[in-house]
Amino acid sequence: HSTLATCSICDNICVEEIMEPNQNIIEKIKKLLALSASPNENEASTALRMAMDMLSKHNLSMTEINVEKKESVEHEEVKFTGKRFSTWRTELLNSVSDAHYCHILKVSGTGVYYIIGKQTNRQATILMFTYLANVVEFECKSHMASLSLTKQEGKTYANSFKLGMVHRLRQRLTEKKNSIILESKSNALIKVDPYTLSKAENNDYIRNKFRVRQQQESNSRINGSAYAQGDRAGNRVGLNGSRAITA
């Protein structure tokens, strides 16, 4: 079955498939992100803001839908660049995964990450990570455009800037997570907050599916000034789509 609906971006009449509520939300977000690549700057900005607003708005309700529909924990592979794990990308993916009820594992020597969680939450994690990773790259490139640095200095500066930006984004994502936990605890009908519940489910899946080794953290050379600049940039990013980019 299908229904006719008016597209909020282009005002055209579009065919909208009737799907399960959680899948319908994800499909809408995907369509908005596709529109965010439009050459029309206003349309692109509007679409990206709406996508981020939906990710934020439906985060808790997605978890409730998952429980009702008995959506099971699974894992999927994602890979971004080469066989090396970029420290800032790993930290950002960790932070976004944690904020969206998921967990990540690194597959040694491959550059592959496993995202563990329910399908809706894995999809939301990938969408939000893609958005934030693009913002980090864009902000770093814009900031460094006016600097005169050697190749090695530039590499250290860029890495430090990105780590500083991710550090601030992680703090802000944690603040949002804690507010959701606090809100859920005020609801007498909710016995366990969604993050505690999802963590237990994800850990059970990991124990049954994988042999997990201790994952070592990378040591990176840090430029203090660049790190501070990145931290400030991370404070400007709209986690609810309030600050769109068109890079």
Side-chain angles (χ1 to χ4, degrees):
H1 296 85
S2 63
T3 59
L4 292 179
T6 302
C7 177
S8 58
I9 296 294
C10 61
D11 292 327
N12 292 328
I13 300 299
C14 306
V15 176
E16 186 177 78
E17 295 296 325
I18 298 176
M19 295 175 282
E20 292 295 322
N22 57 344
Q23 190 61 33
N24 191 33
I25 291 167
I26 291 297
E27 290 303 320
K28 285 182 179 179
I29 292 172
K30 285 182 176 180
K31 289 176 183 178
L32 287 167
L33 286 176
L35 281 173
S36 73
S38 167
N40 183 310
E41 185 172 334
N42 289 333
E43 182 179 76
S45 297
T46 300
L48 189 53
R49 283 197 299 272
M50 290 175 66
M52 293 305 106
D53 284 340
M54 288 187 70
L55 278 174
S56 177
K57 178 180 178 181
H58 293 286
N59 211 4
L60 181 56
S61 62
M62 280 182 178
T63 300
E64 293 168 343
I65 289 169
N66 288 341
V67 173
E68 291 170 6
K69 299 298 179 181
K70 304 299 181 184
E71 190 174 344
S72 61
V73 173
E74 299 288 345
H75 76 278
E76 63 181 284
E77 297 183 8
V78 292
K79 185 175 182 179
F80 304 107
T81 55
K83 293 185 177 181
R84 299 185 64 182
F85 295 103
S86 167
T87 303
W88 73 268
R89 279 196 175 88
T90 299
E91 290 189 7
L92 181 60
L93 184 56
N94 253 320
S95 302
V96 173
S97 297
D98 185 54
H100 290 80
Y101 316 104
C102 292
H103 186 85
I104 69 164
L105 296 175
K106 296 187 294 185
V107 185
S108 180
T110 66
V112 170
Y113 297 90
Y114 286 159
I115 300 182
I116 295 104
K118 296 176 179 177
Q119 182 183 22
T120 304
N121 296 329
R122 295 198 311 269
Q123 290 176 317
T125 293
I126 292 170
L127 290 172
M128 179 60 89
F129 172 80
T130 301
Y131 160 68
L132 290 178
N134 286 338
V135 174
V136 170
E137 293 276 20
F138 176 80
E139 290 287 348
C140 183
K141 184 177 180 180
S142 298
H143 179 75
M144 294 185 64
S146 61
L147 302 179
S148 298
L149 301 170
T150 66
K151 184 176 180 179
Q152 184 57 45
E153 288 172 340
K155 185 176 180 180
T156 300
Y157 193 99
N159 186 57
S160 300
F161 182 96
K162 291 173 182 177
L163 286 172
M165 195 166 177
V166 169
H167 172 261
R168 182 61 186 130
L169 289 170
R170 180 173 67 247
Q171 289 179 325
R172 295 177 61 205
L173 287 166
T174 300
E175 289 167 4
K176 289 186 67 176
K177 170 184 170 180
N178 290 338
S179 70
I180 291 173
I181 292 174
L182 189 62
E183 181 181 345
S184 68
K185 286 183 176 178
S186 67
N187 186 341
L189 298 177
I190 298 177
K191 303 300 181 184
V192 182
D193 75 80
Y195 286 99
T196 299
L197 179 62
S198 63
K199 184 176 182 179
E201 292 173 337
N202 293 342
N203 284 342
D204 284 343
Y205 180 86
I206 291 168
R207 279 193 295 269
N208 293 329
K209 194 76 175 178
F210 304 107
R211 291 181 183 177
V212 180
R213 296 180 180 179
Q214 185 73 26
Q215 298 191 349
Q216 297 180 343
E217 295 183 4
S218 301
N219 293 320
S220 301
R221 294 180 61 186
I222 299 296
N223 179 304
S225 175
Y227 190 93
Q229 290 289 342
D231 187 271
R232 282 192 281 273
N235 205 44
R236 299 193 299 265
V237 177
L239 296 182
N240 298 329
S242 60
R243 185 172 184 274
I245 62 167
T246 56

